[in-house]
Amino acid sequence: MKRVPKTPTTKGPAQMFTGDVHFDVIAAGEAPSRLRVNTVRFAPGAHTAWHRHANGQTLHVTDGVGYVQARGGELITMHPGDTVHTPPGEWHWHGASPTDFMVHLAMWESLAEGQDGPETEWGEHLAEGEYPV
Ligand code: MN
């Protein structure tokens, strides 16, 4: 057993996020573990670009009001306690509502040995009108 040192909070890069987004790495398991858990904090209006995860992702909201939407899917509003799973390869975005902060845990698995990458593929930023205002 070991205590895992806190890693510095990291600002979400502008290529991947719109607005003010910060994340903390909570768990990054050493092989054979492929566990990945981040806390992600979105300021009002902040959100990801379109992206997809090779092994899917589970989001669990701990604070605020947020949105998640799959490409071509309905807009899902998320509140504290809500959990949403995006399956492997599904294009989607997530973020805060225009008027509220949103904090979620993001949980996923890194690539398996021999699995082709990337772990997360990033696409374009949301187009005009794709983010609900
Ligand atoms: Mn995602």
Side-chain angles (χ1 to χ4, degrees):
M1 182 183 301
K2 66 178 179 184
R3 183 182 290 277
V4 179
K6 169 79 172 66
T7 55
T9 297
T10 301
K11 182 167 174 52
Q15 304 97 300
M16 303 170 184
F17 299 95
T18 296
D20 188 15
V21 179
H22 286 82
F23 63 89
D24 289 83
V25 176
I26 303 302
E30 297 171 19
S33 170
R34 296 188 287 119
L35 178 68
R36 299 289 182 268
V37 183
N38 285 1
T39 296
V40 191
R41 295 180 168 86
F42 298 84
H47 54 86
T48 70
W50 289 103
H51 66 285
R52 59 181 179 172
H53 307 284
N55 295 324
Q57 182 178 60
T58 298
L59 305 176
H60 180 79
V61 176
T62 58
D63 194 23
V65 181
Y67 297 141
V68 58
Q69 186 176 32
R71 177 90 75 193
E74 63 170 319
L75 184 72
I76 297 172
T77 302
M78 302 188 291
H79 296 98
D82 287 347
T83 302
V84 175
H85 178 69
T86 62
E90 181 177 74
W91 287 99
H92 67 282
W93 67 270
H94 32 112
S97 86
T99 53
D100 297 87
F101 276 83
M102 190 272 282
V103 183
H104 68 44
L105 292 171
M107 298 168 274
W108 73 101
E109 290 164 291
S110 64
L111 296 174
E113 201 169 306
Q115 183 182 12
D116 286 335
E119 185 172 303
T120 299
E121 181 180 357
W122 290 90
E124 66 276 22
H125 284 286
L126 270 59
E128 189 78 34
E130 286 186 320
Y131 180 81
V133 289

